[in-house]
Amino acid sequence: MAKVATRQAYGEALKILAEKNPNIVVLDADLSKSTKTAEFKKVAPERFINVGIAEQNLIGTAAGLSLSGKIPFASSFAMFAAGRAFEIVRNTVAYPKLNVKIAATHAGLTVGEDGASHQALEDISIMRSIPNMVVLNPADGVEAKKAVIAAAEYQGPVYIRLGRAAVEEIFDDSYDFQIGKGVELVKGDDVSIIATGILLEKALKASEILKLEGINARVINISTIKPIDAQLIIDAAKATKKIVTCEEHSIIGGLGSAVLETISEECPVPVIRVGVKDTFGESGKPNELLEKYGLTENDIVNAVKKLCK
Amino acid sequence: MSYTQLENIATSIRRSIVQMVHDASSGHPGGSLSAVEIVTYLYFKEMNINTPDDENRDRFILSKGHAAPVLYSTLAEKGFIDKESLKTLRRINSKMQGHPDMRKVSGVEVSTGSLGQGLSIGNGMAMGFKMDKKPNRVFVLLGDGEIQEGMVWEAAMFAGHNKLNNVTAILDHNGLQIDGKNEDVVTVEPLDKKFEAFGWHVIKVDGHDFVAIENAFEERKKITDKPVMIIAQTVKGKGVSFMENNPGWHGKAPSDEELQIALNELGGTK
């Protein structure tokens, strides 16, 4: 199967948007080759702005552009876009509900060798706590491309979480991505595996392993962390009575927390959260890190078995 | 508009500021009063703005958002908002939030309050206008304490580099911040050299003298290749003797007695 990084798909989507909508403007903070906004610069240099290494100004300038009728995509690494510029995102973008898109690449452990300083494991938590903010975490290149285009069409602030490493393609071009809609990819009534981002691929593999052992796991992709598809999750809780959540993010405040919040008042069931266990990461190859921090298909299988025993 | 007319509007705005902060029992009179002539001049003489939603209007950003009373009372003088609503400042369910909310008040261009963010937003707006070859100009009012925020210098560098000639920043340089004098907290001088080094044209002016302010904005119009910073020397609490140059009046409301003294000193007919 083809492997594409979601940031690569972001660059491709920007090229499509450049042609489609003259109001699209792209900003970067000196990382355009890494975030792939350089792809946009190639086709629409007059609508590309490099603010230099200044992420607060990146977001503030994007806010101003939106107020003059543009649709700005502001890009940096997730650590800096969500972390360093947090307060600007909250007060200047989200509070007045400005039409700013924040595309944050190099999220999660799989940024790899750069280590803990660059591994954003809190960004979903931070961004989803802000009112008005839509939070997207696509699972593969196809979904990332569709999510970026959907974000451009949505009126209001959107945070799009993207990764550095290439991931296997799960969806094809016929996939109908909608903001706020989760997707059930595998049917099953023994347990629900709810995954987001690059852990969806691991969740699908885990369900195959489990099937061989006689456990029918429902697999759900939640790429819109906020607003979350509550009905799909509640239905899964009611049907399967057990849930495992999977994310390349801290177990605090991310998908796992969002699922727990969603079901706790409607249908509380046992949940195991597969994610980073309230710790910082370290340098290493993406796959080594996923293994060390417990984010492989085997970790998901083990979590399911623990719930099912 | 004559200088006398501008003076009368400024007096009316000053009276509104002390009245509304008194009525709210909280708010920021000091830094509102210091900016009165600047904001009055912008809205009644300099800016191209006839209605709050005219597409071709010039934009004003109150980066020092705590000075909301000066903005609200100016918008009321301009007729963009109802004067009665000024009485609801800072009250529950009011449009008149403690710091300006663009979604609630017609004429407020940007929601501000958290310091240091206005210049970046102004730059972004200005770039958007340039991309579309629109004539709109952007004016950003900054506080001298506010520019201790690092983001202001990110924005200053960016505007200078990109030669944003449709951006004018005005610094309300009253020399005081919450904890005392700028020079005692963390000095902001030499301001002219700092902005010039970032590629700006700098004009210094007495921020309470309409003749001088007019000359500054006329000089500004001649600068076509870079952003302009107008450093306006002002007095915090200007016009009310017991508030002038007193950092204690940064964020405090006058009592009933103090309000009467203030209104008597400010004169006017209302």
Side-chain angles (χ1 to χ4, degrees):
Chain A
M1 238 190 282
K3 287 188 112 183
V4 175
T6 50
R7 62 177 168 137
Q8 189 71 48
Y10 170 54
E12 286 165 23
L14 288 180
K15 278 197 287 191
I16 295 166
L17 286 170
E19 204 167 312
K20 203 171 159 187
N21 189 336
N23 283 326
I24 302 283
V25 177
V26 175
L27 300 94
D28 207 299
D30 193 43
L31 291 167
S32 65
K33 291 183 190 74
S34 302
T35 61
K36 301 300 172 190
T37 61
E39 297 297 313
F40 181 89
K41 188 185 177 183
K42 277 184 212 160
V43 296
E46 73 288 352
R47 285 186 275 149
F48 176 82
I49 298 163
N50 199 333
V51 302
I53 308 163
E55 293 79 12
Q56 299 175 50
N57 192 41
L58 170 79
I59 302 299
T61 307
L65 281 157
S66 78
L67 289 167
S68 59
K70 302 295 174 189
I71 304 170
F73 277 77
S75 293
S76 183
F77 289 1
M79 179 52 66
F80 314 127
R84 194 179 196 116
F86 163 74
E87 199 256 359
I88 326 300
V89 173
R90 179 193 184 275
N91 278 325
T92 291
V93 173
Y95 171 40
K97 210 177 178 200
L98 298 186
N99 197 23
V100 173
K101 319 302 164 186
I102 301 161
T105 65
H106 296 64
L109 282 172
T110 50
V111 59
E113 291 84 344
D114 279 340
S117 63
H118 285 54
Q119 291 162 347
L121 298 172
E122 310 88 354
D123 57 318
I124 292 176
S125 177
I126 295 167
M127 287 295 119
R128 86 181 180 89
S129 70
I130 306 174
N132 290 339
M133 185 61 79
V134 167
V135 181
L136 306 180
N137 186 30
D140 74 350
V142 172
E143 187 168 52
K145 204 168 173 180
K146 288 175 182 279
V148 169
I149 289 166
E153 286 161 6
Y154 171 85
Q155 180 69 34
V158 181
Y159 178 80
I160 310 162
R161 187 184 209 236
L162 302 160
R164 170 174 181 254
V167 291
E168 281 179 23
E169 296 277 76
I170 296 162
F171 298 101
D172 60 33
D173 280 342
S174 67
Y175 171 51
D176 176 29
F177 173 86
Q178 285 181 48
I179 291 175
K181 282 281 171 211
V183 183
E184 186 182 299
L185 291 170
V186 178
K187 290 192 191 318
D189 285 333
D190 294 334
V191 62
S192 294
I193 303 175
I194 303 178
T196 189
I198 64 160
L199 271 249
L200 178 62
E201 178 208 332
K202 315 278 180 202
L204 290 167
K205 284 181 179 159
S207 76
E208 286 167 20
I209 297 168
L210 289 162
K211 186 155 249 168
L212 296 174
E213 303 190 21
I215 298 173
N216 290 317
R218 179 178 299 201
V219 180
I220 290 172
N221 174 38
I222 293 290
S223 47
T224 307
I225 308 282
K226 190 185 177 186
I228 202 157
D229 191 339
Q231 198 55 54
L232 188 69
I233 292 167
I234 291 163
D235 289 348
K238 284 179 178 164
T240 69
K241 307 282 193 293
K242 296 175 277 295
I243 293 174
V244 171
T245 62
C246 317
E247 60 194 311
E248 189 203 10
H249 183 272
S250 170
I251 56 165
I252 298 174
L255 172 72
S257 298
V259 167
L260 285 164
E261 289 161 17
T262 303
I263 63 169
S264 62
E265 289 177 3
E266 297 277 340
C267 180
V269 299
V271 176
I272 293 181
R273 291 166 294 161
V274 172
V276 179
K277 308 275 189 291
D278 193 22
T279 183
F280 289 104
E282 65 183 80
S283 291
K285 291 190 166 55
N287 283 335
E288 294 170 343
L289 289 160
L290 292 175
E291 194 160 336
K292 175 159 182 176
Y293 290 89
L295 306 182
T296 66
E297 53 261 40
N298 286 332
D299 294 299
I300 300 168
V301 167
N302 291 337
V304 167
K305 284 183 176 169
K306 201 172 161 189
L307 272 182
C308 289
K309 77 174 179 210
Chain B
M1 184 170 282
S2 72
Y3 294 126
T4 310
Q5 284 171 307
L6 288 169
E7 297 284 359
N8 287 341
I9 293 167
T11 298
S12 180
I13 289 171
R14 280 212 162 80
R15 294 178 65 88
S16 274
I17 290 168
V18 291
Q19 183 75 52
M20 73 196 292
V21 174
H22 164 270
D23 294 351
S25 305
S26 78
H28 297 84
S32 294
L33 291 167
S34 66
V36 169
E37 280 78 12
I38 299 160
V39 180
T40 300
Y41 189 85
L42 281 168
Y43 273 92
F44 289 89
K45 194 83 190 264
E46 179 65 23
M47 290 202 301
N48 171 29
I49 183 162
N50 298 312
T51 63
D53 52 4
D54 169 17
E55 204 180 304
N56 290 322
R57 72 194 186 280
D58 291 334
R59 308 291 161 91
F60 173 71
I61 301 173
L62 182 70
S63 190
K64 45 174 280 180
H66 56 274
V70 71
L71 178 59
Y72 293 153
S73 44
T74 304
L75 294 175
E77 285 292 328
K78 196 79 185 163
F80 294 173
I81 57 177
D82 172 12
K83 281 193 179 178
E84 279 296 301
S85 63
L86 299 182
K87 292 177 181 161
T88 66
L89 175 71
R90 289 178 167 248
R91 293 191 193 279
I92 192 80
N93 297 327
S94 170
K95 293 178 177 181
M96 304 289 138
Q97 293 293 294
H99 295 82
D101 180 343
M102 62 178 284
R103 296 286 178 200
K104 290 196 161 75
V105 180
S106 176
V108 170
E109 301 284 3
V110 179
S111 299
T112 53
S114 176
L115 295 176
Q117 304 184 18
L119 189 55
S120 287
I121 303 164
N123 289 341
M125 276 183 182
M127 283 200 109
F129 295 141
K130 276 173 132 19
M131 282 177 186
D132 291 342
K133 300 190 166 47
K134 287 182 177 168
N136 313 53
R137 298 172 299 163
V138 180
F139 297 89
V140 183
L141 184 68
L142 296 155
D144 52 6
E146 171 178 27
I147 64 166
Q148 289 162 351
E149 290 282 2
M151 187 179 172
V152 173
W153 300 98
E154 294 182 1
M157 197 186 308
F158 180 84
H161 175 86
N162 288 288
K163 299 185 168 46
L164 294 181
N165 59 356
N166 51 349
V167 169
T168 305
I170 305 106
L171 191 83
D172 181 7
H173 193 13
N174 59 39
L176 295 177
Q177 54 194 106
I178 297 178
D179 275 351
K181 295 178 180 172
N182 302 150
E183 62 193 51
D184 292 334
V185 178
V186 166
T187 190
V188 296
E189 302 292 349
L191 279 167
D192 49 353
K193 290 194 177 69
K194 285 185 174 115
F195 279 94
E196 278 163 6
F198 280 111
W200 290 60
H201 179 82
V202 177
I203 302 168
K204 288 185 170 183
V205 67
D206 175 344
H208 298 305
D209 177 350
F210 280 119
V211 180
I213 292 171
E214 176 151 63
N215 289 337
F217 279 103
E218 290 309 310
E219 179 180 337
R220 193 270 164 264
K221 290 191 180 75
K222 293 178 190 137
I223 307 303
T224 55
D225 60 344
K226 53 176 78 169
V228 172
M229 166 58 83
I230 297 176
I231 299 174
Q233 197 64 45
T234 59
V235 173
K236 195 154 182 161
K238 175 75 176 177
V240 179
S241 60
F242 56 89
M243 290 185 184
E244 285 193 0
N245 277 318
N246 182 348
W249 284 97
H250 171 85
K252 191 171 88 169
S255 65
D256 294 347
E257 296 75 29
E258 287 164 337
L259 173 68
Q260 282 316 312
I261 298 168
L263 291 175
N264 288 340
E265 287 183 9
L266 289 169
T269 51
K270 290 178 188 172

